[in-house]
Amino acid sequence: MSAHATIKRVSTRDLRARKGGVPVVCLTAYTAPMAQFLDPHVDLLLVGDSLGMVVYGMDTTLAVTVDMMINHGKAVVRGSQHACVVVDMPFASYQESREQAFRNAARIMAETGCAAVKLEGGLELADTIHFLTERGVPVMGHIGLKPQSVHAAGGFRAHGRDAAEAARVMADAKAVADAGCFNIVLEGTIEALSREITAAVDVPIIGIGASPACDGQVLVTEDVLGLFSTFKPKFVKRYADLGSQISDVAAQYAEEVRARTFPADEHCFGIPAKPRALEV
Ligand code: KIV
């Protein structure tokens, strides 16, 4: 038996049971090394389609493909052994029909080994979510600010400011919960409404730019680490500024290469170590 077989991963069932309990801790991961660093500390690793913007330098997530998600999903599953791994379904891979959604979700799950998929949408996708969950595909919902609908929504903006929009986000939450989602991401939504939704729906609500009252929180890891500097949403807390450290390291390396102080003797093969000075 391998060492991996003895460690039980957090399951979607475990996460479904976290309503009102200890908050669910979630971060994004796109690569095996990042997954390894984060895995012991989080309940859920999300392979988000935000990778289009964060890793590939795209302006939006719209051009991300199923193949990209599968490649990054495989890496994150390989790099983790504790957290539940959820992979985002990218734009245009599930909206056409529930059959299209099932085909792509099944491919993502079979090829990556992830435990669930996430898709963006509310009432209009409830039937699709029900179709998937009834067929063995655990689904994480995503409502409020939906980055794949950025053009339709008129930009990246907070949702639920007026009564009609607030009623729609609440209806979306109830619809995807009833359709069988095990957890629901609630993004960029007015705090009071996020609190109300968390109280009204019996599925754990995972907030990002939502409310501390949510049943869990998710952030994009590169935002947290200061590795993504194109823009910083209001809801991001930067815990480190690794981008500046990388820049300092590159500058120091460049200086040492140009000055021929790197590599030193200890980095070269066949140069005997210098005798240590006698201590007196
Ligand atoms: O794509 C992503 O990373 C996400 C999270 C920000 C929730 O959907």
Side-chain angles (χ1 to χ4, degrees), residues 158-181:
H159 282 235
R161 284 194 195 277
D162 64 60
E165 200 176 60
R168 174 64 200 229
V169 185
M170 176 64 86
D172 284 343
K174 290 180 175 167
V176 301
D178 288 349
C181 286

Side-chain angles (χ1 to χ4, degrees), residues 11-233:
S11 69
T12 58
R13 201 181 151 87
D14 298 331
L15 294 171
R16 175 67 184 81
R18 295 279 285 272
K19 183 74 195 176
V22 178
V24 175
V25 180
C26 175
L27 283 169
T28 58
Y30 315 128
T31 64
M34 188 62 86
Q36 265 162 8
F37 287 127
L38 304 178
D39 186 49
H41 309 287
V42 301
D43 303 303
L44 198 159
L45 285 170
L46 173 65
V47 188
D49 64 351
S50 51
L51 63 80
M53 299 169 76
V54 174
V55 177
Y56 291 91
M58 297 168 175
D59 288 338
T60 71
T61 57
L62 299 186
V64 174
T65 64
V66 171
D67 286 339
M68 287 162 78
M69 294 312 300
I70 287 176
N71 285 333
H72 289 275
K74 279 182 188 167
V76 170
V77 171
R78 278 190 216 113
S80 60
Q81 49 187 324
H82 155 76
C84 182
V85 177
V86 177
V87 177
D88 255 347
M89 297 193 71
F91 179 63
S93 71
Y94 59 93
Q95 292 92 340
E96 194 178 319
S97 67
R98 52 197 205 165
E99 288 77 13
Q100 181 214 24
F102 182 80
R103 256 193 318 280
N104 283 318
R107 217 190 123 204
I108 289 171
M109 290 189 68
E111 293 186 32
T112 65
C114 71
V117 295
K118 174 166 83 58
L119 51 86
E120 296 180 12
L123 275 166
E124 75 290 359
L125 277 168
D127 178 52
T128 297
I129 292 169
H130 183 70
F131 190 82
L132 297 184
T133 55
E134 286 292 294
R135 284 161 182 75
V137 178
V139 177
M140 186 170 195
H142 185 149
I143 57 168
L145 192 167
K146 293 164 286 183
Q148 292 177 16
S149 304
V150 58
H151 296 303
F156 294 105
R157 58 172 185 82
H159 282 235
R161 284 194 195 277
D162 64 60
E165 200 176 60
R168 174 64 200 229
V169 185
M170 176 64 86
D172 284 343
K174 290 180 175 167
V176 301
D178 288 349
C181 286
F182 68 92
N183 274 190
I184 301 166
V185 169
L186 176 61
E187 179 166 358
T189 298
I190 298 302
E191 199 277 336
L193 175 62
S194 303
R195 196 174 278 273
E196 248 182 82
I197 289 172
T198 304
V201 170
D202 82 338
V203 170
I205 301 290
I206 312 302
I208 171 164
S211 168
C214 290
D215 304 295
Q217 302 292 331
V218 57
L219 282 174
V220 170
T221 298
E222 279 70 6
D223 284 337
V224 168
L225 297 177
L227 285 171
F228 180 72
S229 52
T230 310
F231 61 90
K232 180 179 149 329

